[in-house]
Structure formats: structure tokens, C-alpha cells
Amino acid sequence: DVKVTQSSRYLVKRTGEKVFLECVQDMDHENMFWYRQDPGLGLRLIYFSYDVKMKEKGDIPEGYSVSREKKERFSLILESASTNQTSMYLCASSNPGYEQYFGPGTRLTVT
Amino acid sequence: GESVGLHLPTLSVQEGDNSIINCAYSNSASDYFIWYKQESGKGPQFIIDIRSNMDKRQGQRVTVLLNKTVKHLSLQIAATQPGDSAVYFCAERPYNNNDMRFGAGTRLTVKP
């Protein structure tokens, strides 16, 4: 079975802190994605990566950056967390042209 | 702009009945569609997919129908069970893209 794991299920951070969310997949997928999920807004793409060291902006990249140094790992970085970044963050991976597999999500609260 | 949307935000059915969840999409260039199920506190889980060269695909208790003429996608669940209670998302992939576009989701509640 494909497994996508995320470093934390719940995270509480203070405004202005730097936050790292880690995602690891074990299926040698080329593509990896970071979404945020908010009530009534569905899943919104923050960034995705189609290869090591490659990244593409999604719909809402402002306030976020990403890093993909190894194929299996995709990190989301909040340089200076703000309260409007309180959300559920979902990581996914896939091969091109095929379904995405999602991790369990990280619920981030910024106070 | 292009969007993926759902006709109803909530759906309540009786256990044992069939469920139909609908999705409208507006990007005629989309060539790949997926239905996901998301249970409370979990990430979305792949249910079934369909490519634009097909109009119907069946899985275990689920069927996806694609009507490209009216840009409509539906998920049919046969003999709905309490474990089917979840939020269901449709997603589309515009041709030659790596990313998917998701609808807002429909919450399915199964009454015993």
C-alpha cells in the first residue's frame, strides 16, 4: 500500500514563528503536493513538485515556501506564521497522470 | 474562471439505499477525473477514477459516470452503509497538467 506520512497530526505555533511541515512518501512517486483545507473552500493547492529540487506555485503560495531535496520528502515552510495560516495541511504524492495519495493531514493552529 | 463544483453540499440517505453524488466541471480540457472520500480526521482516500475516453467505470459498490456533453460527473454508491458516511470530493485534471482541481465536497450521511 502507498503510504504518505506527515510529521505531525496537530501543531500549535505562535505568530511569527517559523514552521516546518514534513511529508514523506514511500512509493517512489515523482510528484508531490501541499494543500490547505478550510471549511467551505475545499482543497487549495499551495505548491507542488514534479522532481527533486523542482517546484511550482499553486493557487495560494504567498507566505509559504517548499523544499524537495530528496525524491521521497517534500517540506512546507511557513517563514513567519500568521493566524490566517491556521488550517488543515494535506500532503499528497502521485505519478504523472495518476491519482494522488494523501497523508493524514496536519492541523496547524497559529495563536 | 474554470472551477469544479458540486450540486449539493449535503446528502442524507437511508442505509441500504443507493446514493448519487453529483459534480459539475467547467474545464472542457480536463481529461482525468477522480472521486475521493474523506472521513473525519483523515486525509482524502482515492475511490475511483475515470478518463475522458470513457463514460462509465465501475468499482466495488461504486460507479462513476462521466457526461462530457454537459460537463457532469457523478458517483453512485450501491447499498449505502454507515461506513460510507464521509465527505466526497470530485477532482479534475486539466489536460497535460500535473495538478488536480478539487470541488468543495458533499457530506454524505447514512441513516440507520
Side-chain angles (χ1 to χ4, degrees):
Chain A
D1 277 353
V2 175
K3 196 159 188 184
V4 180
T5 56
Q6 295 183 228
S7 51
S8 305
R9 292 300 306 274
Y10 300 94
L11 211 51
V12 180
K13 295 291 182 180
R14 293 191 182 275
T15 300
E17 279 193 85
K18 191 168 185 176
V19 182
F20 293 88
L21 302 182
E22 301 280 332
C23 176
V24 178
Q25 51 97 1
D26 66 358
M27 282 300 291
D28 202 36
H29 284 164
E30 293 182 27
N31 298 337
M32 295 189 75
F33 307 82
W34 275 107
Y35 296 90
R36 64 177 283 177
Q37 185 177 31
D38 301 288
L41 296 177
L43 274 73
R44 293 182 291 166
L45 182 65
I46 305 172
Y47 268 98
F48 70 95
S49 168
Y50 53 88
D51 201 353
V52 175
K53 297 191 186 293
M54 305 302 289
K55 60 184 179 183
E56 291 279 346
K57 291 181 180 179
D59 298 320
I60 50 165
E62 297 78 19
Y64 304 94
S65 61
V66 290
S67 172
R68 194 166 180 202
E69 296 296 318
K70 293 184 178 181
K71 191 175 186 179
E72 68 271 18
R73 189 179 297 269
F74 193 35
S75 302
L76 180 69
I77 303 146
L78 287 65
E79 295 289 342
S80 178
S82 63
T83 55
N84 63 12
Q85 291 179 309
T86 291
S87 188
M88 170 71 87
Y89 289 88
L90 289 162
C91 175
S93 72
S94 76
N95 277 329
Y98 292 89
E99 69 272 23
Q100 294 182 13
Y101 291 86
F102 284 85
T106 296
R107 187 166 292 282
L108 173 67
T109 303
V110 183
T111 61
Chain B
E2 304 284 6
S3 64
V4 176
L6 289 164
H7 292 171
L8 295 172
T10 61
L11 178 65
S12 184
V13 300
Q14 209 68 37
E15 181 178 358
D17 287 353
N18 297 334
S19 304
I20 299 175
I21 302 171
N22 296 303
C23 180
Y25 67 96
S26 55
N27 189 341
S28 57
S30 293
D31 66 345
Y32 182 51
F33 304 87
I34 300 177
W35 280 101
Y36 285 94
K37 172 186 180 183
Q38 187 174 24
E39 296 174 279
S40 182
K42 297 182 179 180
Q45 178 184 8
F46 170 85
I47 301 173
I48 192 167
D49 60 358
I50 188 168
R51 299 194 184 271
S52 57
N53 60 349
M54 303 172 70
D55 53 20
K56 180 179 180 179
R57 191 156 189 237
Q58 288 185 291
Q60 188 178 15
R61 281 202 305 120
V62 295
T63 301
V64 55
L65 299 177
L66 175 63
N67 185 330
K68 294 181 287 294
T69 303
V70 295
K71 299 190 189 70
H72 184 266
L73 190 69
S74 69
L75 177 71
Q76 299 178 2
I77 305 173
T80 314
Q81 302 168 0
D84 294 327
S85 293
V87 175
Y88 290 81
F89 299 90
C90 64
E92 63 171 334
R93 186 191 68 146
Y95 176 73
N96 230 19
N97 267 253
N98 271 315
D99 61 320
M100 306 285 298
R101 301 289 161 176
F102 291 83
T106 291
R107 182 173 298 280
L108 174 67
T109 302
V110 181
K111 296 179 288 187

